[in-house]
Amino acid sequence: MASEDFKVAEVFSYESLVHAVAGAMGGVTAMTVFFPLDTARLRLQVDEKRKSRSTPAILAEIIKEEGLLAPYRGWFPVICSLCCSNFVYFYCFHSLKAGWLQGQRAASPGRDLITGVIAGVVNVLVTTPLWVVNTRLKLQGAKFRNTDIRPTHYTGIMDAFSQIVQDEGVGALWNGTFPSLLLVLNPAVQFMIYEGLKRQLRRGVHRELSSSEVFLIGAVAKAVATTLTYPLQTVQSILRFGQHRQQTEQSRLMNSLRSVMYLLINRIRKHGMLGLFKGLEAKLLQTVLTAALMFLLYEKIASFTFRVMGVRRPVSSR
């Protein structure tokens, strides 16, 4: 009974809440700073007829054709989604890690990876509808090279939810869930590398890492995870955009699997193997800088909060 009480206390602990809030605040701030880079990446992923160019060239085209504020189109729904997503992920990751480490001498890359996968699955199932809506709003009003893409007319987050459910069914809010579940390896690998590098830098000496160290290991972790999973991220964006029609004669799982395979093969046929990595430059530039800044802010906010409240930073965060 005492063991069960402890596990419940770990899940609903103050420390996990601090990590979740710090992760959400860090992610929102970092995404706001580098948001235009994400706009360039998304256009290259979903608009097959847009030529691959450097990120500055893509952003210059968008501003010229759609206005100065176009790179920040859809900022609010993205930030809302990211805030919820980071909160859920950081809370689950650190709650599970704290419970797992109880009675263990030290964390390990394998435990970090498994914890990251479980936290990622929970995060995907809870927040996918938010990401579907923000993808639609972010691309609304964009000038596409592909004339087959149908325009959408949403007035806001709630209207987008309502129209998607009414026109496409409730299940459409979870479009892209299958590749998203596969993509839980992205944050899982990212956190495994990040936590592993932190342990290496702290080996023998328990100390706060410098800002440059946190920024660097955050960037390295995200660069590796993003490069490994980028083709699936492209498929995920296309499915969330809702322009790919899925066949309905089979189960939803089989339809999702068929859609992923079809989109990957179709991309290779049209653009070659490199087509799977179209927009990778923009994605790496955006996601690496965003993740590095996010981890830096997260560490500083969490450390400051623990220090102000007079709480010793728990072993689960080390």
Side-chain angles (χ1 to χ4, degrees):
M1 184 68 180
S3 176
E4 291 180 1
D5 290 341
F6 172 78
K7 290 179 180 179
V8 172
E10 285 296 331
V11 172
F12 298 103
S13 69
Y14 169 77
E15 287 81 6
S16 295
L17 182 62
V18 170
H19 286 298
V21 172
M25 291 175 64
V28 165
T29 304
M31 176 58 83
T32 298
V33 172
F34 297 114
F35 193 80
L37 300 179
D38 190 58
T39 298
R41 180 271 310 175
L42 190 57
R43 295 295 181 87
L44 286 170
Q45 283 185 325
V46 303
D47 190 356
E48 289 189 351
K49 295 187 179 179
R50 183 182 288 274
K51 294 181 180 179
S52 291
R53 296 181 183 175
S54 67
T55 301
I58 295 296
L59 288 174
E61 279 185 356
I62 293 172
I63 292 172
K64 181 179 179 181
E65 296 174 359
E66 303 171 34
L68 187 62
L69 296 179
Y72 275 92
R73 179 184 290 117
W75 170 83
F76 183 71
V78 169
I79 290 304
C80 290
S81 302
L82 183 66
C83 183
C84 295
S85 183
N86 272 22
F87 185 93
V88 171
Y89 191 90
F90 275 82
Y91 196 100
C92 290
F93 182 86
H94 286 284
S95 295
L96 291 168
K97 189 174 181 182
W100 202 336
L101 284 180
Q102 183 64 18
Q104 301 287 340
R105 297 190 61 178
S108 69
R111 293 193 187 100
D112 287 338
L113 183 64
I114 294 172
T115 302
V117 168
I118 296 172
V121 170
V122 173
N123 182 38
V124 166
L125 296 178
V126 171
T127 65
T128 289
L130 288 171
W131 287 110
V132 169
V133 167
N134 90 56
T135 299
R136 306 282 184 98
L137 290 172
K138 190 172 172 57
L139 292 169
Q140 184 168 266
K143 296 184 182 298
F144 294 108
R145 302 296 189 272
N146 188 348
T147 56
D148 293 332
I149 293 178
R150 301 178 303 280
T152 55
H153 305 283
Y154 305 125
T155 59
I157 296 176
M158 296 310 298
D159 181 58
F161 270 114
S162 176
Q163 284 197 44
I164 292 171
V165 171
Q166 183 177 352
D167 298 339
E168 304 172 43
V170 175
L173 291 174
W174 276 269
N175 278 349
T177 297
F178 184 71
S180 294
L181 287 173
L182 297 179
L183 279 169
V184 299
L185 285 173
N186 183 300
V189 169
Q190 174 188 346
F191 269 72
M192 179 186 70
I193 296 173
Y194 179 77
E195 294 289 330
L197 290 175
K198 274 207 308 184
R199 284 193 292 271
Q200 289 298 316
L201 291 173
R202 286 172 166 169
R203 176 175 289 181
V205 182
H206 289 298
R207 62 181 179 88
E208 291 290 332
L209 299 182
S210 68
S211 298
S212 58
E213 287 174 326
V214 173
F215 192 89
L216 181 60
I217 64 176
V220 170
K222 192 61 177 179
V224 174
T226 297
T227 302
L228 290 175
T229 60
Y230 188 76
L232 281 173
Q233 292 183 52
T234 298
V235 170
Q236 178 192 58
S237 294
I238 293 171
L239 290 174
R240 283 176 173 173
F241 189 32
Q243 299 290 334
H244 173 68
R245 295 293 120 193
Q246 302 183 36
Q247 296 180 8
T248 58
E249 69 271 10
Q250 294 180 315
S251 69
R252 191 166 186 84
L253 176 61
M254 288 304 299
N255 285 336
S256 296
L257 181 59
R258 285 169 60 91
S259 295
V260 170
M261 295 305 298
Y262 170 79
L263 289 169
L264 287 174
I265 294 171
N266 189 53
R267 197 87 169 185
I268 294 172
R269 285 175 177 171
K270 287 185 176 180
H271 307 287
M273 287 298 296
L274 291 179
L276 294 176
F277 295 90
K278 184 182 179 184
L280 178 60
E281 177 209 349
K283 179 62 176 178
L284 279 176
L285 189 60
Q286 175 264 327
T287 198
V288 169
L289 292 175
T290 300
L293 181 57
M294 183 271 291
F295 275 119
L296 174 59
L297 294 172
Y298 153 70
E299 292 286 356
K300 297 301 180 185
I301 292 170
S303 179
F304 175 77
T305 304
F306 285 128
R307 190 162 54 248
V308 168
M309 299 303 294
V311 179
R312 181 177 177 271
R313 192 159 188 179
V315 70
S316 65
S317 65
R318 293 181 176 177

